[in-house]
Amino acid sequence: MRIVVYGCGVMGRRVATALLEKRTLELAGAVDIDEALLGRDIGELLEPARRTGVVVTPPRQAPLSGAECVVLTTGSRLAAIEDQIAACIDAGANVVSTCEELAYPWNRNREIAARIDRRARERGVTVVGTGINPGFLMDALPVVLTAPCLSVEKITVTRMMNSARRRLPFQKKVGTGLTPEEFRRKIESGAITGHVGLVESMQLIAAALGWELDAYTEDPPEPVVAEAPVETGFGTVEAGRVIGLVSRSRALHGGVERIRLSFTAHAAVDEEYDEVVIDGVPPIRERIDGGVHGDIGTVAVTVNTAARAVAAPPGLLTMAQLPPPAVTP
Amino acid sequence: MRIVVYGCGVMGRRVATALLEKRTLELAGAVDIDEALLGRDIGELLEPARRTGVVVTPPRQAPLSGAECVVLTTGSRLAAIEDQIAACIDAGANVVSTCEELAYPWNRNREIAARIDRRARERGVTVVGTGINPGFLMDALPVVLTAPCLSVEKITVTRMMNSARRRLPFQKKVGTGLTPEEFRRKIESGAITGHVGLVESMQLIAAALGWELDAYTEDPPEPVVAEAPVETGFGTVEAGRVIGLVSRSRALHGGVERIRLSFTAHAAVDEEYDEVVIDGVPPIRERIDGGVHGDIGTVAVTVNTAARAVAAPPGLLTMAQLPPPAVTP
């Protein structure tokens, strides 16, 4: 299966590296707009002196036709990448994207979603948004875990992550080292957003279960402040400074909470895990000890979804509408 | 969606009860061969004096046509129910069955599977075997849990169940109260089989992951013997007598173990759980604390798969080829 990576940033490069390891998948092209990358062998961007024969090309010269699937990793906001998706569709390629808003675009981006869906159906290709979260841990997996339930009242998903064990950009993203006042200002300015995609995850769950919920709320991220000095990638963070944050969201029906998601990432988390609790018949209490590594997980879910997207019926689908992705040989 | 239950034993009755609770599903018929049940309202079989208007009919008079789906719970062996499946297909109904061998019929029952697949494609309906196990906990769920993996070396699934908390027939099935010698004779005579479907679960995993394995082995069930008196549904079992069993199976490639399944059910299990461990990149260690109740789980997975079967492309499919079932409204 021939696959083009569209977007050669950190995630696109990791996807390219993963594709080069797969027996059944072929890295067939690499697309970016960054002048500094154009014309370079993507191998060089992965490790020094590596050669793959795949050269980074601008979108207009992109070898999209002939590709069964494009893995698009250029943005989190759907409006910003609609034209890129349309170009892939027009070239006859299926599209798997890490765009968070694409994981469930039928609410916040209803009109764009309808346009993409129509275009994809006309051209006979599939478009799906995925990743570790949104796309798997807080939506597709909880949906799968309701399979042994006769009824479900509420779904609670909790991720606990130690940010000090992650990349520096991630630690910065959660406010590590800021004063609580600096953190508050960055929330107000939008420089810190907390986890993106919680509302999309809740909407994906609700759609998959046939739930019509009437309110989706997302609290502003709350800072977690060091009670004692904490070691991080930024050195020691003193007591009283921020070491990370908690993102929380809830979905209700008639005032009753039906879905609650919370994502905690700070440098003093002792025990990392990803947990799904289903209040239902029977109740389900599931946990992945140690959690799933976010970057590896997103690359893997995305690559593993490609084969499913190619085989799926045409249109703009969600992860709950595809046979579950599994590790691709 | 109109659904007929075919088989009005313990599982069929529980499926009927579940269907009567569902807003989007309708119990449209009930089929059995037992003279004692024919002509009776299936409601009476569920609870005293209950009336549903659905009368148990013999297969030849069965209202199969007009049903979108038949839930077939008449046997564990595929050869014994092939004709029943064929009759459902000929009536234009999709089929979801708890037949353990149907969960992955392409190995042990390859020829029957090919006949069913051809017939289903010709008639445009879907046939799938499912249940909690095989069908979910030891195959479909582990496959889903490989989605965030770049590579997988080995999958180990362990179920730990306290049989004393289950139905008496189940406790009998695992040999509760026998002497080790009686247990051994019942294994030899086939009166005790251990858990049915472990090989099918391994084959389903291998097929879903594109693994070509060369050996599937299933050990004879091993008795677990009481070290001290144990309370069970049969009263106190003395030390030295059987309180349950362990079923184990393994799948190998080139002498290397790639899949290991073990199902322990005895009366002295302290901590019940269903666990999936994936040796891969990244590693995944997942556990459902308390385990999933087997009877409720099988009914739920089966009912929840019905909507997926109706929407799926025609043919004989496995659970890994359907969008994951989720709790049905």
Side-chain angles (χ1 to χ4, degrees):
Chain A
M1 194 176 292
R2 292 165 54 83
I3 304 199
V4 168
V5 295
Y6 193 137
C8 296
V10 173
M11 290 312 295
R13 294 177 200 192
R14 291 184 182 207
V15 168
T17 303
L19 291 172
L20 290 167
E21 299 290 323
K22 295 287 179 189
R23 179 167 51 80
T24 61
L25 305 176
E26 179 192 345
L27 176 63
V31 177
D32 208 293
I33 54 168
D34 185 345
E35 293 284 346
L37 302 182
L38 296 177
R40 293 177 64 183
D41 187 302
I42 193 169
E44 292 177 44
L45 308 179
L46 310 180
E47 51 189 285
R50 184 167 184 180
R51 289 291 177 280
T52 64
V54 174
V55 170
V56 181
T57 54
R60 289 187 169 276
Q61 296 163 30
L64 295 178
S65 55
E68 270 96 358
C69 190
V70 174
V71 174
L72 187 68
T73 58
T74 51
S76 297
R77 299 294 174 200
L78 187 52
I81 65 164
E82 182 184 1
D83 290 348
Q84 297 169 2
I85 295 173
C88 298
I89 294 171
D90 291 349
N94 299 276
V95 180
V96 175
S97 175
T98 55
C99 171
E100 283 88 347
E101 288 187 350
L102 192 61
Y104 192 82
W106 294 102
N107 199 303
R108 207 185 323 226
N109 293 285
R110 192 187 304 262
E111 288 175 22
I112 300 177
R115 281 197 296 269
I116 293 173
D117 184 50
R118 196 178 324 115
R119 200 176 196 114
R121 285 173 195 271
E122 283 169 9
R123 197 60 176 77
V125 298
T126 307
V127 177
V128 62
T130 193
I132 196 71
N133 179 21
F136 189 73
L137 287 175
M138 299 185 99
D139 38 47
L141 181 59
V143 167
V144 167
L145 289 167
T146 69
C149 295
L150 289 171
S151 62
V152 173
E153 292 306 312
K154 181 175 164 183
I155 295 177
T156 306
V157 188
T158 307
R159 297 192 69 190
M160 289 293 285
M161 181 191 289
N162 186 318
S163 53
R165 298 174 197 161
R166 296 302 191 273
R167 293 186 277 148
L168 279 174
F170 182 82
Q171 297 186 40
K172 194 170 173 190
K173 223 168 77 174
V174 299
T176 309
L178 301 178
T179 66
E181 176 57 23
E182 287 167 343
F183 185 93
R184 196 185 58 72
R185 281 202 303 271
K186 279 178 187 283
I187 292 287
E188 280 168 10
S189 72
I192 289 182
T193 58
H195 183 72
V196 177
L198 291 180
V199 168
E200 280 76 9
S201 285
M202 294 193 295
Q203 289 166 342
L204 199 159
I205 291 172
L209 304 189
W211 288 0
E212 288 178 16
L213 307 184
D214 47 32
Y216 294 88
T217 66
E218 196 169 0
D219 299 341
E222 280 176 29
V224 177
V225 172
E227 294 175 3
V230 175
E231 283 307 316
T232 75
F234 291 100
T236 306
V237 175
E238 294 160 32
R241 290 205 169 229
V242 173
I243 49 171
L245 55 76
V246 184
S247 293
R248 285 193 190 86
S249 64
R250 316 190 300 151
L252 299 94
H253 186 71
V256 177
E257 190 172 275
R258 303 296 300 277
I259 307 174
R260 175 192 287 253
L261 308 184
S262 95
F263 187 164
T264 297
H266 65 74
V269 166
D270 278 334
E271 194 189 359
E272 296 189 292
Y273 60 84
D274 296 317
E275 186 183 73
V276 178
V277 175
I278 299 174
D279 296 346
V281 179
I284 304 280
R285 188 174 191 90
E286 187 255 16
R287 184 184 273 215
I288 298 177
D289 287 327
V292 178
H293 191 286
D295 287 345
I296 301 177
T298 286
V299 171
V301 169
T302 306
V303 168
N304 294 333
T305 298
R308 297 291 181 270
V310 170
L316 172 53
L317 304 183
T318 70
M319 285 297 280
Q321 295 172 293
L322 293 175
V327 63
T328 312
Chain B
M1 194 177 293
R2 293 165 53 83
I3 303 199
V4 168
V5 293
Y6 193 138
C8 296
V10 173
M11 290 312 295
R13 293 177 202 194
R14 290 183 183 209
V15 167
T17 303
L19 291 172
L20 291 166
E21 300 291 323
K22 295 287 178 189
R23 177 167 52 79
T24 61
L25 305 176
E26 180 193 344
L27 176 63
V31 177
D32 209 294
I33 54 168
D34 184 347
E35 292 284 346
L37 303 180
L38 296 178
R40 293 176 64 183
D41 188 303
I42 192 168
E44 291 176 44
L45 308 179
L46 309 181
E47 52 189 283
R50 184 166 183 180
R51 290 290 179 281
T52 64
V54 174
V55 170
V56 181
T57 55
R60 291 185 168 276
Q61 295 163 31
L64 296 178
S65 54
E68 269 96 359
C69 190
V70 174
V71 174
L72 187 67
T73 58
T74 52
S76 297
R77 299 294 172 198
L78 187 52
I81 66 164
E82 182 184 359
D83 290 348
Q84 298 170 2
I85 294 173
C88 297
I89 293 171
D90 291 348
N94 299 277
V95 180
V96 175
S97 175
T98 55
C99 171
E100 282 88 346
E101 289 188 347
L102 192 61
Y104 191 82
W106 294 102
N107 197 305
R108 208 185 323 228
N109 294 284
R110 193 187 304 262
E111 288 175 22
I112 301 177
R115 281 198 296 270
I116 293 173
D117 184 51
R118 197 177 322 117
R119 202 176 195 114
R121 285 172 194 271
E122 282 168 10
R123 197 61 175 79
V125 298
T126 306
V127 178
V128 61
T130 194
I132 196 71
N133 179 19
F136 189 73
L137 287 175
M138 298 184 99
D139 38 47
L141 181 59
V143 166
V144 167
L145 288 167
T146 69
C149 295
L150 289 171
S151 63
V152 173
E153 292 305 313
K154 181 175 165 183
I155 296 177
T156 307
V157 188
T158 308
R159 298 192 69 190
M160 289 294 286
M161 182 191 289
N162 186 318
S163 53
R165 298 173 195 161
R166 295 301 191 275
R167 294 186 277 148
L168 279 175
F170 181 81
Q171 297 186 40
K172 196 171 171 190
K173 223 167 77 174
V174 298
T176 310
L178 300 178
T179 65
E181 176 56 23
E182 288 167 342
F183 185 93
R184 196 185 57 73
R185 281 201 304 271
K186 280 181 187 280
I187 292 286
E188 280 168 8
S189 73
I192 289 182
T193 58
H195 183 72
V196 177
L198 291 181
V199 168
E200 280 75 9
S201 285
M202 293 192 296
Q203 290 167 343
L204 199 158
I205 290 173
L209 303 190
W211 288 0
E212 288 178 17
L213 306 184
D214 47 32
Y216 294 88
T217 66
E218 197 169 0
D219 299 339
E222 280 175 30
V224 177
V225 172
E227 294 175 2
V230 175
E231 284 305 317
T232 75
F234 291 100
T236 305
V237 175
E238 295 161 30
R241 290 206 168 227
V242 174
I243 51 171
L245 54 75
V246 184
S247 293
R248 286 194 189 86
S249 64
R250 315 189 301 149
L252 299 94
H253 186 70
V256 177
E257 191 172 275
R258 303 296 301 275
I259 307 173
R260 175 192 286 254
L261 308 183
S262 95
F263 188 165
T264 297
H266 65 75
V269 167
D270 279 334
E271 194 190 358
E272 296 189 293
Y273 60 84
D274 297 317
E275 185 182 73
V276 178
V277 175
I278 299 174
D279 295 345
V281 179
I284 304 279
R285 187 173 191 90
E286 188 255 15
R287 185 185 272 216
I288 298 177
D289 287 327
V292 177
H293 191 287
D295 287 346
I296 301 176
T298 286
V299 170
V301 169
T302 306
V303 167
N304 294 335
T305 298
R308 296 291 181 269
V310 171
L316 172 52
L317 302 183
T318 69
M319 286 297 279
Q321 296 171 292
L322 293 175
V327 62
T328 312

